[in-house]
């Protein structure tokens, strides 16, 4: 169990290197709203926020906690969720839970493999059809060190993305800090992923916290890659507390200009707060409730 949990932690990038100061910041606490409301139908939440609460098992107790999370999110007003695990349930069982709580899963994190270890993409696509998933991708990219490795990975994703498009789905790549910190000449690893794949085969789920943490300006990234940025992971950064992930709206990232720059190309704004494992003061339900209120400009 511990090894499995650590594997998930590494794949989702909870360990990162220090980055430059964030390029897009605002005055902390200056607003309780993201400038203009995001429609509830476009707001989702990455269930990794609840990873410690749900756990990493596949037993009945784990599944019951997972169901409780879905129920409470629905009661908060969420219409969408982004799973990182099905907690041992079949796609059919999970889809039934979503229907029961009037939720959808338009996007999903699931391991799509690497050139070295390809995944069973046909199986993932079949599950996605049952779940109603339109966008899917791994929770993190490998931390490659050579340009050749990044090019090969981009080409692998391009091939997977072509398979996804034939099935009516989209492959997305979710970034952490290293895609922007790893450079080859004037290109980042993120540039390589975009430039060595076709627009119709690979889109981006831009994690705003990790981009800012790495010293990138999300506005510049959006201007460069336009409507390939289909989804945001919306999580905040607290400069005063070692640049940790913060509840959305409590930190220093100025989301309004980012959202305005993206315009109408963003399909989903996905609230996320990586768990503070072992910290009993962190309440993932509070993070979910405040994130939803901030994006939709409603009261907590």
């Amino acid at each position: 169990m511990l090894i499995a949990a650590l594997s998930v932690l590494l794949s989702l990038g909870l360990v990162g290197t220090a980055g430059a100061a964030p390029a897009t910041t605002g005055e902390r606490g200056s607003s309780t709203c993201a400038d203009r409301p995001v429609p509830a139908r476009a707001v989702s939440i990455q269930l990794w926020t609840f990873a410690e609460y749900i756990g990493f098992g596949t037993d009945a107790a784990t599944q019951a906690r997972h169901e409780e999370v879905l129920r409470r999110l629905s009661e908060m007003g969420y219409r969408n969720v982004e799973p990182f695990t099905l907690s041992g349930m079949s796609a059919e069982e999970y889809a039934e839970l979503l229907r029961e709580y009037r939720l959808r899963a338009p996007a999903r994190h699931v391991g799509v493999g690497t050139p070295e270890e390809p995944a069973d993409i046909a199986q993932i696509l079949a599950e996605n059809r049952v779940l109603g998933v339109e966008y899917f991708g791994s929770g993190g990219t490998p931390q490659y060190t050579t340009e050749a490795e990044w090019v090969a990975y981009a080409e692998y994703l391009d091939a997977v993305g072509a398979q996804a498009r034939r099935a009516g789905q989209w492959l997305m790549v979710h970034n952490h800090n290293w895609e922007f910190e790893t450079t080859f000449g004037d290109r980042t690893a993120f540039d390589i992923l975009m430039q060595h794949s076709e627009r119709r085969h690979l889109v981006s789920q831009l994690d705003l916290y990790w981009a800012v943490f790495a010293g990138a300006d999300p506005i510049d990234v959006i201007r460069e890659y336009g409507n390939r940025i289909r989804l945001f992971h919306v999580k905040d950064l607290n400069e005063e507390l070692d640049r940790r992930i913060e509840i959305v709206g409590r930190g220093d990232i100025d989301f309004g200009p980012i959202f305005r720059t993206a315009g109408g190309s963003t399909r989903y704004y996905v609230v996320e707060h990586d768990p503070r494992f072992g910290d009993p003061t962190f309440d993932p339900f509070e993070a979910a409730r405040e994130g939803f209120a901030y994006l939709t400009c409603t009261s907590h």
Side-chain angles (χ1 to χ4, degrees):
M1 178 65 70
L2 177 60
I3 293 174
L6 288 173
S7 176
V8 175
L9 292 175
L10 289 170
S11 72
L12 288 168
L14 289 185
V15 178
T17 58
T24 305
T25 59
E27 182 181 350
R28 186 182 301 110
S30 62
S31 174
T32 58
C33 178
D35 282 1
R36 60 182 181 183
V38 175
R41 66 179 181 276
V43 177
S44 186
I45 184 166
Q46 167 53 245
L47 296 182
W48 179 250
T49 304
F50 299 91
E52 184 173 31
Y53 184 84
I54 293 172
F56 300 97
T58 59
D59 56 285
T62 302
Q63 293 175 5
R65 290 191 297 272
H66 199 138
E67 179 175 357
E68 180 195 355
V69 167
L70 297 179
R71 175 183 61 79
R72 292 178 66 175
L73 289 172
S74 178
E75 291 171 352
M76 289 180 200
Y78 280 93
R79 301 182 187 179
N80 306 296
V81 295
E82 186 175 275
F84 73 95
T85 179
L86 303 185
S87 295
M89 288 176 271
S90 68
E92 290 78 10
E93 290 169 333
Y94 200 87
E96 181 57 35
L97 271 187
L98 293 175
R99 285 191 290 270
E100 180 175 351
Y101 296 109
R102 301 180 303 282
L103 292 167
R104 297 174 57 249
R108 172 193 186 194
H109 277 192
V110 58
V112 300
T114 65
E116 300 82 14
E117 296 185 28
D120 186 345
I121 302 302
Q123 176 62 31
I124 293 172
L125 294 173
E127 289 183 352
N128 288 348
R129 280 194 293 273
V130 174
L131 294 167
V133 169
E134 183 181 1
Y135 296 93
F136 70 99
S138 296
T141 67
Q143 297 188 50
Y144 290 128
T145 57
T146 70
E147 184 173 7
E149 288 173 314
W150 281 106
V151 170
Y153 183 58
E155 292 173 346
Y156 171 80
L157 294 181
D158 188 72
V160 172
Q163 192 175 348
R165 291 305 300 134
R166 289 193 293 270
Q169 300 172 31
W170 288 94
L171 179 66
M172 63 183 185
V173 63
H174 170 261
N175 66 279
H176 290 81
N177 51 312
W178 56 82
E179 294 87 353
F180 293 101
E181 293 171 345
T182 304
T183 59
F184 304 96
D186 61 354
R187 294 197 301 171
T188 66
F190 185 86
D191 291 326
I192 290 174
L193 293 176
M194 294 291 101
Q195 294 168 8
H196 286 268
S197 60
E198 293 191 34
R199 301 176 65 88
R200 58 181 178 157
H201 294 163
L202 185 66
V203 297
S204 165
Q205 180 180 62
L206 186 63
D207 189 302
L208 299 175
Y209 169 86
W210 285 117
V212 170
F213 182 92
D217 188 334
I219 289 176
D220 290 341
V221 178
I222 294 165
R223 286 174 175 164
E224 176 71 21
Y225 294 108
N227 63 9
R228 289 189 80 174
I229 313 295
R230 295 291 184 86
L231 307 92
F232 288 137
H233 261 189
V234 184
K235 56 189 180 191
D236 220 333
L237 180 150
N238 192 319
E239 276 286 352
E240 294 183 357
L241 293 176
D242 296 325
R243 310 186 73 219
R244 77 175 188 187
I245 296 168
E246 189 55 88
I247 288 176
V248 174
R250 292 190 188 179
D252 295 286
I253 296 179
D254 190 358
F255 293 105
I258 298 171
F259 295 167
R260 288 195 297 273
T261 301
S265 65
T266 309
R267 299 295 187 267
Y268 295 99
Y269 300 76
V270 186
V271 173
E272 184 182 28
H273 192 306
D274 292 7
R276 297 176 191 162
F277 287 91
D279 180 356
T281 67
F282 173 66
D283 181 355
F285 294 99
E286 179 183 27
R289 184 169 54 253
E290 290 199 23
F292 184 83
Y294 181 84
L295 289 178
T296 58
C297 298
T298 56
S299 60
H300 296 343

